[in-house]
C-alpha cells in the first residue's frame, strides 16, 4: 500500500521557530521549494519505531481510514508532517514511473481518525489546481493552526461529576448548604461543572466533595446524548412575512446541490430566512455551515443564533485562541455541533452530516484571502456544496457582480426580497453638492444643520468617513516637504490619539516631528481628514453630546465593539462616527440620519471594481438608517452630484446600477464576463525584479500564441510600487473564457522550470484577483 502525502517544507520551517499565524505573508511565500506531493511506502512503517503509537490507541497501528490523517514522513534528513491525500496499490504506482524514485518513509501516523474527509480533500485538490498553488501549502492553510504541528486532534472533554456512593454520611457533607445542594442535584443525573456554575455552585465546593471521596470527575461528552438524537427547541421571535415565507418554501423545495442568491434590501429579513431554513435542516439531523465576513464585527448575528436554537453552536475565526478554534473545528467535523458560524477559513471544516452552507454578505471582500494561498471562500464554498451535494445560499443587499452574472446565465437561482421586514421604511439618499457649500474640517454646513436637527428630536446620527487617523498627510507649510514612509511610496498618516505618524501600508510608526527636516521650519500642517479629526470637529460643534468612534484604532480589544454597540443601543451616544466598519450589518434602530463624507476618490479610481465597491458601501451604510419604525435619510457629500453612477444608484437603486455596470463590463471585456489572472512579482531589488518580470513576460508571449483568446499585458507597477521595502510589479493575463485561462496557466506551470529562478524575487499567480493593481 502506498500513500500520497501532501507536505509543506516551508511551513515546517516556520513552525519550528515561531508560532504560525495564518495571516502573515511570509511563511506562504509562493515560489519556495515546497514539495507538492510525495509518495510514501507505508509497509516500511512496520519496521519503524513500533512504540510511537501507544497500544491503546490503534489495535493494528494503522488508522482504519488513512486518507485525511496526518503523518510524519522523512524527507532527506528531516521529519515532515503531511496529510495523506490518497491510497495506491503497487500496480498503480509502477505505472507511474515518475514517482518511483521518490518514495519516502512514513515514520508514524499522528491521527487515528482523519482530519479531513473525502469531500474536503476533493475541494482542496480542486483549489490547488484552480488557483495553481502547491498542494502541500493548500492543505496546510486549511488546517487549524494547532494541527499544523503534531498537536493531537482530540475532542475537548466536558468536565462533569457523579457520585461515588448512593448515600452520603451526613457528617461528611458538612454544614455547607451548597455541598448538600450539589449532592442532591446529582441524585438523578450527572452534571457538568458549567451546569453547577449556572445554578450558583462553584467548582471549589465540588472539589471539596471530591477530596472527601464523595464525587468523582467524569468526561460527560461520552455520556451525553448527541443533539441530533434529542428534542430540538427553537425560539421564534416573529412570524415571517410573505416574501420571507416564499423564499423559505422555494429553497426547501429543491433537493441536492443548488445555489440560491437571496438578493434582499438591507433589513428585509435575510437572516430570518437563514434561521428558518437552518431550523428545517437541523430538524433532519443535518448540519449548517454559516460563513460571515468578520465574526468579531458581527456579535449581534452570532447572539441571534444562540438565542434561536438549543443545539450546540461553534464559531471559528482567526482572532480566537488557537485551542478554542481547534475545539470548534473538531466539534463540528465530528458532528457534535449542529451549526458552525465562521469566517472564510472555516470553509475547510469537514461536515459529518452535511446539510447546508450559507454565505452572509456574499459581496464582502473579506471572503477573499489576499496573501499566501489566495482563494475566494464564496467560490470554494460553492464547489464544496457541489461535492457534498447540498444547497448553498448566498445572501446580500448588494450582491457581487459575479453572483448576479451567474444568475443571468442561469447558474444561480435568484430570490428577491424587496421590502423591509416589519414596518421599517427605506431610507432616502440625498446628495449634498459640495461645490457651493461652506465647510468645516470636511463637514458641510448642510450636514451640520441636519445633524443638529436630528439631535434636537432625540434621534441618533451616524457619520461615515472611510479613513482612519486624524489626517492622511503632514506637510511643511514653508517648503512643501511631505513626510513619507521610508519603506513605502506612501505619505504618513497623523494619529492624534496615539501621538504618532503611522504608515497604513507597513504599519511602521514614527514620532510626531516638531520641525521640517529640510528647512527646519516649525510651521507644519496637516491636510485631508480622518475619523479622529471628524470626531474632534463634531465635539467642538456639539460639546454636550457623547460621541462614539468605531474604527480599527478604537476597536483594538475583544469585546470593545460589543460594548460600544450596546452603549449605542442604550442611547448613551447619539453621534456615531466610523469607517466602513459601520457598514457591516449592525442594527442601529434609532439612527435616522446617515452622513457619508467624501467618497469622490472612488469615482475616479483606475481599478475596475472600485465602482462596484463604492456602490456597495453607500447602500450598506445607508441601510443602517431607519431600521425600526422611524424613517431615515442619508446625506451624501460629493463634488459630483450628477455623476452618472451616483445618479443611477440614488434614483433607481443597487440592482439598476448593477445591471448597468454588468453591461459596462461586457462592453469592456472585464470580469466576470472574462477571466483574469495576475502574476505578482516582488523583490527588494527593483533591477532584478524588472529583469525577471520582463523575462516572464516575453516567455508568456511565446506560449500565448497557442491561445487566441488570451492577452498578456506588459509588466506594470502595482498601485503602490514600493511597500515594506519591496518592489511590486504585476503582469495581467486576460482570457475570454475561464477554461482557456486555466489551460494557459496549467501549461505555464508545466514550463515553470524554464523560467530562471531569480534569487531575491518572489512570484505568485493570483487567479480571479480582487484587483489587477
Ligand atoms: P437582513 O439580514 O436582511 O438585514 P434581518 O433578518 O436582520 O435582515 O432583519 C432586519 C430587522 O427586521 C431585524 O431587526 C429583525 O429582527 C426584523 N425582522 C426580520 N423579519 C421580521 C418579520 N417577519 N417581522 C418583523 N420583524 C422582522
Ligand atoms: Zn520645510
Ligand atoms: Zn510604510
Amino acid at each position: 500500500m502506498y500513500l500520497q502525502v501532501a507536505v509543506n517544507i516551508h511551513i515546517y520551517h516556520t513552525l519550528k521557530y515561531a508560532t504560525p499565524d495564518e495571516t502573515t505573508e511570509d511563511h506562504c511565500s509562493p515560489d519556495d521549494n515546497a514539495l507538492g506531493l510525495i509518495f510514501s511506502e507505508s509497509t516500511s512503517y512496520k519496521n519503524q519505531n513500533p512504540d510511537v503509537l501507544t497500544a491503546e490507541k490503534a489495535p493494528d497501528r494503522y488508522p482504519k481510514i488513512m486518507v485525511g490523517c496526518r503523518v510524519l514522513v522523512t524527507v532527506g534528513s528531516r521529519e515532515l508532517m503531511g496529510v495523506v491525500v490518497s491510497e495506491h496499490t503497487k500496480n498503480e504506482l509502477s505505472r507511474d514511473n515518475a514517482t518511483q524514485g521518490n518514495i519516502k518513509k512514513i515514520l508514524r501516523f499522528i491521527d487515528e481518525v482523519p482530519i479531513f474527509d473525502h469531500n474536503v480533500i476533493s475541494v482542496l485538490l480542486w483549489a490547488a489546481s484552480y488557483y495553481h498553488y502547491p498542494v502541500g501549502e493548500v492543505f496546510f492553510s486549511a488546517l487549524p493552526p494547532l494541527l499544523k504541528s503534531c498537536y493531537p486532534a482530540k475532542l475537548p472533554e466536558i468536565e462533569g461529576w457523579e457520585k461515588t456512593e448512593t448515600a452520603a454520611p451526613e457528617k461528611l457533607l458538612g454544614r455547607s448548604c451548597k455541598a448538600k445542594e450539589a449532592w442532591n442535584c446529582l441524585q438523578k443525573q450527572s452534571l457538568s461543572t458549567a451546569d453547577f456554575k449556572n445554578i450558583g455552585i462553584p467548582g471549589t465546593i465540588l472539589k471539596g466533595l471530591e477530596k472527601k471521596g464523595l464525587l468523582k470527575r467524569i468526561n460527560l461528552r461520552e455520556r451525553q446524548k448527541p443533539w441530533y438524537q434529542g428534542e430540538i427547541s427553537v425560539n421564534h421571535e416573529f412570524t415571517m412575512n410573505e416574501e420571507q415565507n416564499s423564499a423559505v418554501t422555494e429553497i426547501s423545495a429543491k433537493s441536492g446541490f443548488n445555489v440560491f442568491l437571496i438578493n434582499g434590501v438591507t433589513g428585509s429579513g435575510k437572516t430570518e430566512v437563514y434561521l428558518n431554513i437552518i431550523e428545517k435542516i437541523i430538524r433532519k439531523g443535518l448540519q449548517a455551515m454559516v460563513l460571515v465576513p468578520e465574526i468579531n464585527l458581527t456579535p449581534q448575528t452570532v447572539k441571534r443564533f444562540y438565542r434561536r436554537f438549543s443545539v450546540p453552536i461553534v464559531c471559528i475565526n482567526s482572532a480566537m485562541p488557537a485551542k478554542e478554534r481547534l475545539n470548534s473545528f473538531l466539534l463540528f467535523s465530528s458532528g457534535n455541533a449542529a451549526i458552525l458560524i465562521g469566517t472564510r477559513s472555516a470553509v475547510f471544516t469537514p461536515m459529518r452530516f452535511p446539510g447546508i452552507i450559507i454565505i452572509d454578505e456574499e459581496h464582502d471582500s473579506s471572503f477573499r484571502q489576499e496573501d499566501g494561498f489566495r482563494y475566494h471562500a464564496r467560490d470554494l464554498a460553492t464547489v464544496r456544496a457541489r461535492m457534498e451535494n447540498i444547497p448553498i445560499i448566498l445572501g446580500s443587499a448588494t450582491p457581487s457582480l459575479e453572483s448576479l452574472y451567474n444568475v443571468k446565465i442561469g447558474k444561480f437561482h435568484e430570490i428577491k426580497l424587496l421590502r423591509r421586514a416589519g414596518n421599517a421604511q427605506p431610507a432616502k439618499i440625498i446628495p449634498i453638492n459640495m461645490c457651493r457649500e461652506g465647510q468645516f474640517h470636511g463637514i458641510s454646513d448642510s450636514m451640520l444643520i441636519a445633524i443638529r436637527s436630528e439631535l434636537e428630536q432625540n434621534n441618533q446620527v451616524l457619520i461615515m468617513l472611510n479613513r482612519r487617523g486624524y489626517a492622511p498627510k503632514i506637510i511643511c507649510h514653508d517648503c512643501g516637504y511631505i513626510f513619507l514612509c521610508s519603506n513605502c511610496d506612501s505619505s504618513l498618516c497623523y494619529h492624534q490619539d496615539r501621538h504618532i505618524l503611522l504608515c497604513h501600508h507597513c504599519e511602521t510608526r514614527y514620532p510626531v516631528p516638531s520641525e521640517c527636516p529640510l528647512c527646519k521650519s516649525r510651521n507644519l500642517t496637516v491636510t485631508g481628514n480622518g475619523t479622529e479629526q471628524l470626531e474632534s470637529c463634531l465635539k467642538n460643534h456639539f460639546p454636550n453630546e457623547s460621541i462614539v468612534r468605531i474604527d480599527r484604532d478604537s476597536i483594538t480589544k475583544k469585546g470593545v465593539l460589543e460594548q460600544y454597540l450596546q452603549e449605542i443601543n442604550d442611547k448613551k451616544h447619539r453621534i456615531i462616527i466610523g469607517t466602513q466598519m459601520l457598514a457591516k450589518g449592525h442594527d442601529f434602530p434609532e439612527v435616522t440620519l446617515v452622513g457619508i463624507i467624501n467618497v469622490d476618490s472612488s469615482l475616479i479610481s483606475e481599478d475596475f471594481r472600485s465602482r462596484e465597491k463604492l456602490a456597495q458601501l453607500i447602500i450598506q451604510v445607508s441601510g443602517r438608517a431607519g431600521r425600526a419604525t422611524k424613517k431615515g435619510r442619508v446625506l451624501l457629500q460629493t463634488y459630483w452630484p450628477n455623476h452618472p453612477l451616483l445618479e443611477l444608484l440614488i434614483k433607481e437603486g443597487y440592482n439598476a446600477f448593477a445591471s448597468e455596470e454588468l453591461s459596462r463590463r461586457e462592453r469592456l471585456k472585464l470580469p466576470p464576463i472574462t477571466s483574469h489572472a495576475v502574476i505578482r512579482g516582488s523583490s527588494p531589488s527593483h533591477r532584478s525584479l524588472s529583469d525577471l518580470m520582463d523575462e516572464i513576460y516575453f516567455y508568456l508571449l511565446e506560449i500565448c500564441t497557442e491561445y487566441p483568446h488570451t492577452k498578456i499585458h506588459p509588466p506594470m507597477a502595482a498601485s503602490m510600487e514600493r511597500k515594506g521595502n519591496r518592489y511590486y510589479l504585476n503582469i495581467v493575463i486576460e482570457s475570454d473564457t475561464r477554461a482557456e485561462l486555466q489551460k494557459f496557466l496549467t501549461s505555464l506551470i508545466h514550463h515553470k522550470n524554464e523560467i530562471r529562478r531569480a534569487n531575491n524575487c518572489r512570484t505568485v499567480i493570483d487567479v480571479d484577483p480582487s484587483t489587477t493593481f
Side-chain angles (χ1 to χ4, degrees):
M1 177 62 68
Y2 294 86
L3 303 177
Q4 221 175 5
V5 179
V7 298
N8 185 324
I9 289 181
H10 201 88
I11 285 187
Y12 185 76
H13 271 308
T14 51
L15 256 183
K16 257 176 110 177
Y17 305 111
T19 349
D21 174 2
E22 249 197 1
T23 54
T24 58
E25 190 172 0
D26 233 42
H27 70 269
C28 294
S29 79
D31 74 338
D32 63 46
N33 48 355
L35 292 185
L37 297 168
I38 47 171
F39 279 87
S40 310
E41 187 179 23
S42 63
T43 42
S44 65
Y45 158 79
K46 280 189 181 139
N47 313 325
Q48 298 274 341
N49 303 331
D51 55 80
V52 278
L53 281 185
T54 44
E56 47 161 6
K57 284 187 191 158
D60 58 358
R61 287 185 295 146
Y62 289 131
K64 255 198 232 120
I65 305 167
M66 288 187 271
V67 172
C69 287
R70 287 173 301 159
V71 289
L72 269 189
V73 288
T74 33
V75 177
S77 59
R78 289 191 295 157
E79 286 176 19
L80 292 184
M81 198 267 276
V83 179
V84 179
V85 174
S86 53
E87 288 179 20
H88 303 270
T89 59
K90 189 146 196 152
N91 277 345
E92 285 170 334
L93 198 63
S94 53
R95 267 183 256 128
D96 188 356
N97 285 332
T99 55
Q100 281 281 356
N102 208 4
I103 293 174
K104 313 285 189 229
K105 284 184 177 148
I106 286 195
L107 278 179
R108 67 173 171 108
F109 273 82
I110 298 166
D111 301 308
E112 300 150 46
V113 180
I115 300 286
F116 292 132
D117 62 22
H118 175 76
N119 286 331
V120 173
I121 291 176
S122 307
V123 170
L124 293 173
L125 292 176
W126 182 91
S129 109
Y130 183 80
Y131 291 108
H132 301 275
Y133 209 68
V135 178
E137 294 196 32
V138 169
F139 270 73
F140 268 71
S141 36
L143 285 169
L146 279 182
L147 298 188
K148 290 175 188 177
S149 64
C150 293
Y151 197 89
K154 218 174 131 222
L155 266 185
E157 292 189 352
I158 302 176
E159 188 186 73
W161 300 87
E162 76 177 9
K163 298 195 293 188
T164 50
E165 303 175 33
T166 40
E170 272 294 319
K171 67 173 192 294
L172 265 184
L173 275 177
R175 271 183 309 203
S176 154
C177 300
K178 297 239 161 170
K180 280 182 193 138
E181 202 184 330
W183 180 261
N184 290 336
C185 283
L186 291 173
Q187 214 60 28
K188 288 206 185 75
Q189 83 265 46
S190 314
L191 290 179
S192 71
T193 311
D195 292 333
F196 276 117
K197 208 169 150 198
N198 286 340
I199 54 173
I201 298 174
T204 46
I205 298 279
L206 303 168
K207 278 182 204 149
L209 292 173
E210 185 186 27
K211 250 195 202 139
K212 291 180 184 165
L214 293 175
L215 298 188
K216 73 169 184 215
R217 264 176 238 236
I218 51 166
N219 178 9
L220 266 185
R221 168 146 344 268
E222 289 159 7
R223 314 260 179 109
Q224 270 176 353
K225 215 157 103 182
W227 61 273
Y228 43 88
Q229 286 174 5
E231 189 72 12
I232 292 174
S233 75
V234 180
N235 294 319
H236 283 278
E237 286 168 75
F238 16 65
T239 38
M240 286 189 293
N241 62 31
E242 226 169 86
E243 277 188 333
Q244 289 170 319
N245 254 322
S246 67
V248 173
T249 314
E250 186 176 344
I251 293 169
S252 324
K254 291 203 167 69
S255 65
F257 170 66
N258 275 290
V259 190
F260 300 93
L261 174 68
I262 301 188
N263 179 354
V265 297
T266 49
S268 57
K270 293 180 290 296
T271 314
E272 197 52 36
V273 172
Y274 309 150
L275 291 168
N276 277 279
I277 305 255
I278 291 174
E279 181 181 340
K280 285 179 190 276
I281 296 284
I282 58 177
R283 284 199 190 285
K284 288 187 217 160
L286 303 177
Q287 293 169 292
M289 174 189 284
V290 184
L291 300 185
V292 294
E294 279 155 274
I295 220 162
N296 40 344
L297 297 185
T298 48
Q300 287 169 329
T301 311
V302 176
K303 272 199 198 133
R304 212 158 142 195
F305 277 76
Y306 276 97
R307 271 205 313 271
R308 177 69 64 101
F309 300 112
S310 63
V311 294
I313 299 175
V314 290
C315 290
I316 287 185
N317 70 77
S318 56
M320 70 203 275
K323 185 81 195 293
E324 241 173 80
R325 189 162 163 192
L326 174 63
N327 286 346
S328 296
F329 179 92
L330 295 172
L331 286 171
F332 195 69
S333 62
S334 61
N336 279 288
I339 300 171
L340 166 67
I341 307 174
T343 46
R344 63 171 180 260
S345 64
V347 71
F348 304 116
T349 317
M351 287 168 117
R352 173 142 175 234
F353 309 115
I356 195 163
I357 302 178
I358 293 170
I359 315 250
D360 192 23
E361 310 292 355
E362 64 91 31
H363 66 279
D364 198 284
S365 56
S366 67
F367 286 118
R368 184 111 202 315
Q369 166 83 27
E370 294 292 7
D371 52 40
F373 166 41
R374 292 160 194 252
Y375 64 90
H376 204 303
R378 176 190 62 219
D379 300 343
L380 283 187
T382 313
V383 174
R384 173 90 190 267
R386 197 179 64 219
M387 301 209 179
E388 306 273 8
N389 194 28
I390 55 173
I392 174 168
I393 303 176
L394 315 179
S396 175
T398 52
S400 61
L401 292 191
E402 276 74 11
S403 295
L404 289 171
Y405 181 66
N406 277 325
V407 167
K408 198 172 161 187
I409 59 174
K411 277 191 174 169
F412 294 2
H413 311 278
E414 184 176 34
I415 296 172
K416 281 195 169 156
L417 300 179
L418 301 170
R419 274 183 301 280
R420 287 191 149 190
N423 288 320
Q425 295 287 310
K428 217 173 151 195
I429 305 178
I430 306 152
I432 295 178
N433 186 348
M434 293 299 283
C435 293
R436 267 155 297 187
E437 276 278 335
Q439 51 169 301
F440 182 67
H441 290 264
I443 308 186
S444 64
D445 292 344
S446 309
M447 187 74 85
L448 287 170
I449 292 168
I451 295 175
R452 190 174 298 279
S453 125
E454 294 299 329
L455 293 175
E456 274 163 10
Q457 296 167 57
N458 194 20
N459 293 326
Q460 281 176 318
V461 300
L462 183 156
I463 313 291
M464 190 207 62
L465 169 60
N466 208 6
R467 193 189 282 135
R468 64 197 180 97
Y470 188 87
K473 273 197 190 91
I474 176 159
I475 60 178
C476 169
H477 202 59
D478 287 341
C479 76
Y481 176 85
I482 300 179
F483 288 80
L484 299 174
C485 177
S486 53
N487 309 321
C488 312
D489 292 339
S490 157
S491 62
L492 293 171
C493 184
Y494 173 47
H495 283 248
Q496 194 177 46
D497 282 8
R498 293 156 72 185
H499 197 65
I500 48 166
L501 300 188
L502 181 71
C503 172
H504 283 189
H505 299 278
C506 70
E507 302 293 320
T508 307
R509 299 165 189 197
Y510 299 80
V512 176
S514 53
E515 58 174 35
C516 169
L518 282 190
C519 74
K520 305 294 174 207
S521 159
R522 295 185 153 258
N523 200 358
L524 304 179
T525 173
V526 295
T527 66
N529 41 17
T531 45
E532 282 182 9
Q533 191 175 154
L534 185 63
E535 183 181 4
S536 74
C537 156
L538 288 176
K539 260 191 188 133
N540 273 337
H541 262 268
F542 305 102
N544 299 324
E545 283 298 326
S546 167
I547 300 179
V548 63
R549 199 183 83 224
I550 295 185
D551 57 26
R552 259 214 291 147
D553 299 306
S554 69
I555 309 295
T556 45
K557 276 198 298 258
K558 204 182 153 187
V560 174
L561 179 70
E562 254 174 302
Q563 183 199 329
Y564 283 168
L565 293 177
Q566 190 56 49
E567 288 173 4
I568 293 168
N569 252 329
D570 299 342
K571 278 194 122 173
K572 258 177 104 175
H573 318 281
R574 294 198 302 173
I575 299 180
I576 307 153
I577 293 175
T579 54
Q580 50 146 3
M581 255 187 176
L582 288 174
K584 307 241 171 192
H586 308 297
D587 241 346
F588 301 117
E590 299 283 321
V591 166
T592 48
L593 170 69
V594 168
I596 302 176
I597 314 280
N598 192 7
V599 291
D600 288 355
S601 57
S602 302
L603 291 169
I604 47 169
S605 163
E606 302 162 80
D607 183 354
F608 72 85
R609 276 187 227 268
S610 76
R611 294 159 56 95
E612 177 187 353
K613 285 189 196 136
L614 176 65
Q616 288 165 343
L617 182 62
I618 292 176
I619 298 295
Q620 291 289 344
V621 182
S622 303
R624 306 305 124 207
R627 282 176 70 96
T629 43
K630 291 180 179 174
K631 197 167 159 60
R633 64 178 159 150
V634 179
L635 296 179
L636 174 70
Q637 288 190 182
T638 172
Y639 279 94
W640 302 311
N642 301 323
H643 189 288
L645 182 156
L646 291 180
E647 242 177 356
L648 183 64
L649 189 66
I650 290 171
K651 285 207 182 106
E652 296 181 45
Y654 182 80
N655 284 314
F657 155 80
S659 85
E660 170 70 33
E661 185 67 11
L662 209 48
S663 337
R664 196 177 82 103
R665 300 252 184 111
E666 227 152 332
R667 272 198 315 279
L668 299 175
K669 292 191 138 203
L670 288 169
I673 291 90
T674 58
S675 275
H676 274 168
V678 179
I679 297 187
R680 298 185 188 278
S682 75
S683 168
S685 149
H686 191 272
R687 184 67 193 274
S688 33
L689 179 64
S690 82
D691 286 352
L692 175 72
M693 294 303 270
D694 281 344
E695 204 173 307
I696 295 180
Y697 172 61
F698 289 115
Y699 180 72
L700 293 179
L701 282 185
E702 236 168 76
I703 37 178
C704 189
T705 48
E706 290 164 41
Y707 298 88
H709 305 293
T710 297
K711 196 175 147 198
I712 319 286
H713 294 263
M716 196 174 53
S719 62
M720 183 152 299
E721 187 170 16
R722 192 175 60 106
K723 200 165 110 181
N725 270 327
R726 291 183 79 85
Y727 291 88
Y728 288 83
L729 290 179
N730 297 331
I731 296 174
V732 178
I733 305 169
E734 252 179 59
S735 269
D736 285 356
T737 66
R738 199 172 276 249
E740 181 167 310
L741 182 70
Q742 281 297 326
K743 266 196 213 146
F744 179 78
L745 294 175
T746 309
S747 71
L748 182 64
I749 299 286
H750 256 35
H751 289 88
K752 204 178 166 195
N753 293 340
E754 291 166 31
I755 297 177
R756 182 176 58 88
R757 275 253 165 109
N759 251 345
N760 46 6
C761 297
R762 288 184 199 158
T763 53
V764 63
I765 297 179
D766 190 355
V767 181
D768 301 337
S770 57
T771 168
T772 48
F773 291 98

